[in-house]
Amino acid sequence: MNASFEHLTEANRASWNRIAPSRHGEPAEFFRDGGLALEDFELALAGDVRGRRVLQLACSCGDQVLSWSTLGATAIGIDISDVAITIAQQKSAVAGIPADFRRADMYDLPPDLVDLDLIYLSWGAICWAPDLNRLAEILTTRLRPGGSMLLADHHPIWEVLAVRGENHLAVSGDYFGRTTPRPETDNAKLPTGARDTPAPPPFNAFIWPTSDVVMALLTAGLRLDAFTESPSPDIYSGLGPTAAQLPAYYVIKATRP
């Protein structure tokens, strides 16, 4: 990454550290009792992960990592926020579920994270990537042959539309923004912990068209196995019934031959 992107990353890290204590996720007891913080379609696409090495990028407080571990995976989670990683480690210890949590940047992964069976990115990871092609290249080299990337994320259409009332939307961002960082100013787009607060910390994200995401993975040498776009009306809170007619998230699975 260039120096300006590194500066943004560090600024974002400071903001994540500020809000991490408010991002509790599920309690440790939820996982101790066998709970899973994964969607059914994610489980179906991932397949049987028993004995597999699974890495989650931008793992936050660790809920999905603990879920993969519960399913029998050797689960690793990285996050840019050292506060979030500490919370995840504490939750893992209380739940009694083994998981390897580390503070790291997705562009500078620890050298031992290789021969991975699954790299998982979910619900707000790609938007923090300033260089999509470089990220795809890095992650591809960390997969074993036959290993896959599973990505489930907010749709960039949602990223650029702001709800102004029932059946009323405004364009608040550039769908083709790509490497131009976008300050998050729309309350609905702010992360949990910053949303609905009088003075949220600053965040700068990147909007990547879904076509760019797909092509970055293909260019890096992965095979596209699945690509779907789906509605989730709740994410367009206040829009009304027409929210079901808009894409809210997309899911991609791509495999290293």
Side-chain angles (χ1 to χ4, degrees):
M1 289 188 294
N2 63 38
S4 62
F5 286 160
E6 290 177 359
H7 174 75
L8 283 177
T9 297
E10 281 305 303
N12 282 337
R13 186 171 82 88
S15 294
W16 283 113
N17 277 340
R18 277 182 59 186
I19 67 171
S22 300
R23 296 168 56 84
H24 304 293
E26 298 289 349
E29 293 74 20
F30 173 82
F31 299 102
R32 188 190 300 148
D33 294 339
L36 299 175
L38 294 165
E39 301 291 340
D40 289 343
F41 61 78
E42 293 175 311
L43 296 172
L45 285 170
D48 188 355
V49 297
R50 286 177 293 182
R52 303 295 183 92
R53 280 166 54 81
V54 176
L55 168 67
Q56 181 181 358
L57 307 184
C59 70
S60 186
C61 61
D63 285 8
Q64 288 89 6
V65 174
L66 295 178
S67 300
W68 293 120
S69 182
T70 297
L71 292 168
T74 298
I76 309 125
I78 69 159
D79 196 276
I80 198 170
S81 166
D82 41 295
V83 177
I85 287 297
T86 297
I87 292 170
Q89 291 169 336
Q90 292 170 345
K91 188 181 295 188
S92 172
V94 173
I97 298 173
D100 182 1
F101 289 106
R102 311 187 201 179
R103 210 291 284 182
D105 189 285
M106 64 179 76
Y107 287 92
D108 188 21
L109 296 174
D112 63 308
L113 297 184
V114 294
D115 295 323
L116 297 166
D117 295 284
L118 182 68
I119 298 177
Y120 172 67
L121 300 87
S122 76
W123 314 112
I126 286 295
C127 65
W128 306 110
D131 187 333
L132 192 58
N133 288 322
R134 178 61 182 145
L135 180 63
E137 293 169 359
I138 291 171
L139 298 183
T140 297
T141 65
R142 299 305 182 107
L143 289 170
R144 66 165 181 81
S148 299
M149 283 184 56
L150 177 58
L151 186 156
D153 216 324
H154 304 127
H155 201 287
I157 283 290
W158 173 76
E159 296 281 358
V160 303
L161 295 179
V163 176
R164 296 291 186 256
E166 185 164 347
N167 205 28
H168 183 191
L169 291 167
V171 178
S172 61
D174 182 359
Y175 186 85
F176 303 102
R178 297 184 170 97
T179 57
T180 301
R182 170 199 174 186
E184 291 287 13
T185 55
D186 183 9
N187 181 67
K189 309 299 189 294
L190 289 172
T192 301
R195 198 179 309 139
D196 300 319
T197 60
F203 288 94
N204 281 279
F206 300 86
I207 297 173
W208 293 104
T210 54
S211 57
D212 284 28
V213 179
V214 170
M215 290 308 301
L217 298 175
L218 294 178
T219 302
L222 299 181
R223 180 190 72 233
L224 185 64
D225 296 326
F227 175 38
T228 61
E229 301 169 283
S230 301
S232 180
D234 289 348
I235 203 172
Y236 293 98
S237 177
L239 184 61
T242 52
Q245 301 171 19
L246 291 169
Y249 66 93
Y250 68 104
V251 182
I252 294 174
K253 182 180 180 181
T255 299
R256 180 178 177 181

